[in-house]
Amino acid sequence: MTKQSTISRAEGWRRRGPLLPALIFTIVVTQVPFAFTLYYSTQSWNLVRPGSREFIGLRNYLYVFRDSQFREVALNTVILIAGTVLISAVLGLAVALLLNRTFRGRGVVRTLVITPFLITPVAGALLWKTAMFDPVFGLVNFVLQPLGLGDVEWVSQFPLASVMANLIWRWTPFMMLLILAGLQSMPTDVLEAGRVDGAGPITLFRELTLPHLRRFIELGVVLGAIYLINTFGAVYMMTQGGPGVESANLPFYIYQRAFLGFDIGQAAAMGVITVVATILISTLALRLLFKTFTATREAA
Amino acid sequence: MAEIAYKSASCIYEGTDTPAVDRLTLEIEDGEFVVLVGPSGSGKSTALRMLAGLEDIDEGTITINGTDMVGVPSKDRDIAMVFQNYALYPNMTVAENMGFALKMRGLAKDERRRKVERAAQLLDLTEMLDRKPAKLSGGQRQRVAMGRAIVREPQVFCMDEPLSNLDAKLRVQTRTQIAALQRRLGATTVYVTHDQVEAMTMGDRVAVLKDGLLQQFATPTELYDSPVNAFVAGFIGSPAMNLVSAPVTSEGVKLGGTTLPLERDQLAELHEHGLTSATVGLRPEQLEVAHPGEGVDVRIDLVEELGSDSYVHAHLTADDTGEPATLVARSHSRTPGRLGETIAFRKSHGPVHVFHPETGQRLAA
Ligand SMILES: Nc1ncnc2c1ncn2[C@@H]1O[C@H](COP(=O)(O)OP(=O)(O)OP(=O)(O)O)[C@@H](O)[C@H]1O
Ligand SMILES: [Mg+2]
C-alpha cells in the first residue's frame, strides 16, 4: 500500500509539475503584493513627510471606519453596482426579447447592439462625457432642447448618475447576450402547450418564459457585479470622483488617497477592506448562483 | 362534443413552395377517434397543429361544430393537446401543470384542486402531485401530459405521437388505456402516429397521408382489405403487403413461371386501360409454403421466427430479368425451410389486389 501511494505521489508530481511555473507566477503577482499591502496597512506612512514611517498596528483601520468620506464612497460603490446591474438587466431583457424575433438584418443589428461591450472602457467613458453629456455640444442636450430641458450640465449636476449611464450602456449588451441565449434555449413546445392551455402572451411570458430566464438573469447580475466592483476608468475619465467624493467609488478613492494624497498606510487599509468585502460578497453570490444551477440541473 | 371538418385546408410553411398539408378534406364525427398516419414528413403533425391553432390555415378552412376556425387563436378553440415530448411546464409541480389551463380559465383554487385530484386518481398520479416533472419517469410524464389534457374536459383532444417515447411494453399498455379513456370521456380525438399498428388498433377511422396529400380515410378493416392505392397497401399491415410488378396474360398475371389468376372485373379493367403489366399485391398471410413445383418457385433469403409463426422472406428463382422480386409469406410451421433452400409459395385465400403500374391506383374492387 505504501509502495502504491509513493508511486502515485510521484505520478502526481509528474502530472501537476508543469503547472508549477504558472502557480508560482500567480502567487508572485497576486499574493506577494497583497502581503505587502497588509504590511503597509499597519504603518503610518505618508510619502509627503519623509521619515514619518512607524508601526501603528490596526489604527489605520480605525481611521478608515471613522472616515465619513470612506463611508460615502462605499455607499456610492454599492449604488453604482446595484443600479447598473439591475437597470442593464431590465434593458438587456427588453432588447433580447426584441432580438429574439426573426426580422431582416437581425445579424447586423445584433452585432451593432453588442459593440458597446467591446469598446475600451476609457474610450466609452470619454465618448459619454463629450459626445453625449457635454452641456454645449452634447447629444443629450441637443435632443432635449425642443422639450425645454436643453441646458443641464449632466456630468457636474448628476455625476454619479452620469457614470452609471455610461456603465449601463456598456453592460446592457452583456446582459442582453446572456438573456438571449436563455430565450433561444426555451423549448417552443412548452410555449405552445401554454397557448393551447389558454394563456395569452403576457401570461406566457410571466408564467413560463421568465422562470426559464431566471438563472440566466442571475448569472448576468452576479458576473456583472463582480466585474463592476473594479470600475475605475469611467470614474477617472468622467468626473474624477467629484465634486468632492460624490461620484467616487472605492477603487478610485483608494487611488486618490495613495497617489494624490500619498497616504500609503490608509490607502492600503482601505484596499484590504475592499478585498475582504469583495471576497465575502462574491462568495455569497457565487454560492447562490451554484445553488440555482444545481437546482435547475436536478429539475432539467 | 364536437364535429370537426377540414375543408380543402392547406398549410404552406414560410420559405417553402410545396404545401406541407395539401387541400386536406376530412369529416370527423362527434366523439370519433381518428388517427392520422403516414411516413415521416407526410404532414401529420402539421395537419394536427392547424386544428390546434399552432399553424396558420393558408387555404381552405377547418370548422369545429360548424364554426370557422381561421384566425381563431388556440386559446379560444377549447382544444387540449398532448405533445410528443410532453412539453410539461418545468417550473411547475405536477398539480400546477394539470391545473394551469383551469387557472387560465379563472377557476377558483379549491375547484381546481378537486378536478386535478380526480384526474390524478384516474391516471394513478396522486402521489406525484407535488413533484416537478424532472423527477418523474418517462411513463409518468406521459401520464401527466394526458392528465393536463383531460382535466380540461375539452371538446377536442389532439395528440401528436404521445407514445413514441415509451418502451414497447408500456406503449401497448398505454395504447389501450388511452383508447378506453377516450371512449369514456367521449371527446372527439385526433391522434397522430407514424406507427401503423397504433393506427389500426386505436382508430375508429384512419386517415393515411403521404406528402401532405390524403390517400384514404376509412375504417382499419377497410384500409386493410381494400387499400385505394399501392402506397396505402404497402403502408398498412406488418409485415408489408408483397407488391410485385408482373406482366398481364389472358387469365391473370405471370408470376415467376406460373400464372396467378385474377378476377373477371380485374382483367376487364386491365384490358380497358390497355395495360400489359400491373402491380399485384398479396399479403404475407395469403401465401403459404409448399413443395417446389406446387406454386411459384422461390429461394429462401431469411426466416423470421416469431414463436407462434414465422415469416419467410424469399426471392423468385424464375425471374432472370435484373433484380429478382422478393416475397414474404407467413408460415405456421416452425421449420418452413433453410436458408438458400428452394421452395414454393402458393396463394391460399382472399383476392389478389391489383394496382395500376404507374399511378398505383387500385383497379376493380
Ligand atoms: N417549421 C417548418 N418550416 C418549414 N417546413 C416545415 C416546418 N415544419 C415542418 N416542415 C415540413 O413540412 C412537412 C411536414 O412536416 P410534419 O412535421 O407535419 O411531418 P410529420 O408527418 O409530422 O412527420 P414526423 O412523423 O416525422 O413527425 C415536412 O416536409 C417538413 O419538412
Ligand atoms: Mg410529426
Side-chain angles (χ1 to χ4, degrees):
Chain A
M1 197 214 127
T2 22
K3 187 158 183 245
Q4 200 179 14
S5 73
T6 45
I7 286 171
S8 75
R9 173 174 287 184
E11 178 65 19
W13 272 108
R14 215 174 7 261
R15 288 185 191 173
R16 291 183 217 116
L19 291 175
L20 211 55
L23 184 66
I24 291 170
F25 181 76
T26 311
I27 289 174
V28 167
V29 299
T30 65
Q31 302 310 300
V32 173
F34 186 65
F36 269 102
T37 311
L38 271 179
Y39 166 69
Y40 289 151
S41 74
T42 61
Q43 308 278 311
S44 167
W45 182 19
N46 194 316
L47 295 181
V48 185
R49 282 175 280 125
S52 68
R53 187 168 169 181
E54 57 172 326
F55 178 79
I56 55 164
L58 295 179
R59 243 175 297 163
N60 270 330
Y61 291 92
L62 202 64
Y63 296 145
V64 169
F65 282 117
R66 282 207 198 126
D67 178 358
S68 67
Q69 280 197 332
F70 178 80
R71 288 200 298 270
E72 192 185 334
V73 167
L75 185 66
N76 280 349
T77 312
V78 172
I79 293 173
L80 201 63
I81 294 171
T84 305
V85 149
L86 294 181
I87 296 173
S88 53
V90 171
L91 290 179
L93 176 62
V95 178
L97 286 172
L98 290 176
L99 284 183
N100 196 35
R101 301 166 166 267
T102 39
F103 55 88
R104 275 187 53 171
R106 181 166 81 155
V108 177
V109 173
R110 197 155 44 190
T111 315
L112 288 179
V113 169
I114 295 166
T115 38
F117 195 63
L118 307 176
I119 290 176
T120 315
V122 173
L126 198 60
L127 204 73
W128 273 80
K129 185 184 176 187
T130 53
M132 300 298 281
F133 283 145
D134 191 281
V136 181
F137 48 84
L139 279 175
V140 175
N141 278 352
F142 174 75
V143 169
L144 290 179
Q145 217 151 31
L147 307 173
L149 284 165
D151 52 359
V152 184
E153 295 216 15
W154 294 100
V155 176
S156 41
Q157 277 176 276
F158 309 102
L160 195 59
S162 302
V163 173
M164 207 192 282
N166 166 33
L167 291 176
I168 290 168
W169 170 81
R170 183 170 153 70
W171 283 89
T172 298
F174 173 80
M175 300 290 180
M176 188 279 292
L177 273 184
L178 273 177
I179 295 172
L180 189 61
L183 278 175
Q184 294 188 337
S185 69
M186 177 88 200
T188 47
D189 58 353
V190 170
L191 288 175
E192 284 173 348
R195 267 167 70 194
V196 174
D197 270 352
I202 294 171
T203 321
L204 283 182
F205 179 74
R206 200 187 54 225
E207 300 278 339
L208 298 175
T209 313
L210 214 50
H212 172 77
L213 289 182
R214 206 189 88 187
R215 58 189 161 136
F216 292 90
I217 296 175
E218 279 173 355
L219 178 67
V221 165
V222 171
L223 288 182
I226 290 172
Y227 276 103
L228 278 163
I229 292 172
N230 296 327
T231 305
F232 180 81
V235 177
Y236 182 82
M237 286 309 295
M238 289 180 73
T239 64
Q240 293 277 337
V245 288
E246 231 179 89
S247 63
N249 64 350
L250 282 172
F252 186 80
Y253 189 60
I254 294 169
Y255 157 82
Q256 255 184 341
R257 291 303 286 263
F259 297 104
L260 303 177
F262 300 108
D263 195 338
I264 302 297
Q266 282 207 12
M270 286 179 203
V272 172
I273 292 170
T274 311
V275 166
V276 170
T278 308
I279 290 174
L280 272 178
I281 292 172
S282 51
T283 309
L284 286 179
L286 285 174
R287 190 167 298 167
L288 170 88
L289 194 72
F290 283 129
K291 207 155 74 193
T292 60
F293 265 95
T294 38
T296 41
R297 175 136 31 87
E298 273 168 28
Chain B
M1 302 303 97
E3 290 163 15
I4 302 166
Y6 285 77
K7 295 175 181 163
S8 303
S10 300
C11 175
I12 306 165
Y13 281 111
E14 238 170 86
T16 56
D17 304 327
T18 46
V21 170
D22 197 353
R23 280 161 294 159
L24 178 64
T25 300
L26 283 181
E27 303 255 341
I28 300 169
E29 283 161 25
D30 182 22
E32 202 176 8
F33 195 118
V34 165
V35 177
L36 302 182
V37 73
S40 186
S42 57
K44 311 177 292 289
S45 297
T46 310
L48 189 75
R49 293 165 58 83
M50 286 161 77
L51 176 62
L54 298 173
E55 231 52 87
D56 289 338
I57 304 165
D58 294 316
E59 277 164 36
T61 168
I62 297 176
T63 62
I64 299 179
N65 282 334
T67 317
D68 194 338
M69 285 295 133
V70 175
V72 178
S74 339
K75 67 187 180 79
D76 300 328
R77 295 193 186 192
D78 197 14
I79 282 176
M81 181 140 172
V82 180
F83 291 80
Q84 180 171 359
N85 297 316
Y86 315 137
L88 301 178
Y89 310 128
N91 53 312
M92 300 184 197
T93 63
V94 169
E96 285 165 341
N97 259 284
M98 288 168 63
F100 185 73
L102 302 178
K103 189 169 152 192
M104 292 300 105
R105 218 184 280 161
L107 239 66
K109 204 170 179 179
D110 41 339
E111 173 84 3
R112 240 154 53 201
R113 188 80 204 174
R114 211 168 45 74
K115 287 196 178 207
V116 166
E117 269 166 11
R118 208 171 48 207
Q121 216 162 18
L122 197 66
L123 293 164
D124 199 16
L125 284 170
T126 312
E127 276 107 76
M128 285 144 225
L129 281 179
D130 294 321
R131 283 201 224 163
K132 293 273 177 73
K135 300 202 169 161
L136 299 177
S137 74
Q140 290 164 342
R141 280 180 216 178
Q142 202 279 334
R143 274 183 281 152
V144 176
M146 284 299 296
R148 193 168 65 175
I150 63 174
V151 283
R152 293 181 46 190
E153 297 164 22
Q155 293 195 59
V156 180
F157 280 126
C158 291
M159 304 191 194
D160 192 351
E161 311 206 18
L163 305 183
S164 59
N165 287 345
L166 301 182
D167 66 57
K169 196 169 164 214
L170 202 54
R171 194 171 341 177
V172 175
Q173 199 180 327
T174 316
R175 191 161 84 196
T176 45
Q177 273 172 8
I178 290 182
L181 201 62
Q182 192 269 342
R183 301 266 129 80
R184 214 172 114 186
L185 300 170
T188 314
T189 303
V190 183
Y191 185 103
V192 165
T193 180
H194 62 259
D195 178 353
Q196 52 90 22
V197 179
E198 243 171 61
M200 298 291 280
T201 52
M202 296 177 87
D204 292 325
R205 280 194 290 168
V206 178
V208 183
L209 292 173
K210 183 198 175 202
D211 299 334
L213 288 164
L214 178 65
Q215 306 292 310
Q216 190 171 6
F217 183 38
T219 61
T221 35
E222 210 179 323
L223 280 182
Y224 195 79
D225 292 339
S226 42
V228 294
N229 59 31
F231 173 77
V232 177
F235 191 76
I236 299 291
S238 170
M241 185 190 276
N242 297 299
L243 289 167
V244 185
S245 121
V248 177
T249 65
S250 53
E251 295 113 67
V253 288
K254 222 162 102 64
L255 196 59
T258 60
T259 298
L260 190 64
L262 294 181
E263 307 278 329
R264 260 246 187 75
D265 49 349
Q266 287 175 328
L267 282 170
E269 199 162 338
L270 282 172
H271 287 304
E272 196 181 305
H273 286 85
L275 293 171
T276 53
S277 80
T279 305
V280 292
L282 282 166
R283 296 219 174 261
E285 66 268 23
Q286 286 181 295
L287 290 174
E288 56 186 22
V289 175
H291 295 293
E294 292 177 1
V296 194
D297 284 353
V298 292
R299 185 163 294 139
I300 300 178
D301 294 325
L302 174 71
V303 178
E304 272 181 309
E305 285 281 359
L306 296 177
S308 56
D309 7 78
S310 54
Y311 290 109
V312 185
H313 297 248
H315 64 267
L316 297 183
T317 48
D319 206 2
D320 42 29
T321 52
E323 192 92 328
T326 58
L327 293 173
V328 183
R330 184 158 93 185
S331 162
H332 296 298
S333 151
R334 286 201 170 193
T335 49
R338 283 188 320 279
L339 207 70
E341 194 181 338
T342 301
I343 53 166
F345 282 165
R346 184 171 58 197
K347 184 182 160 263
S348 57
H349 62 282
V352 182
H353 304 272
V354 183
F355 303 101
H356 193 288
E358 276 128 40
T359 65
Q361 288 305 310
R362 183 183 189 80
L363 298 176

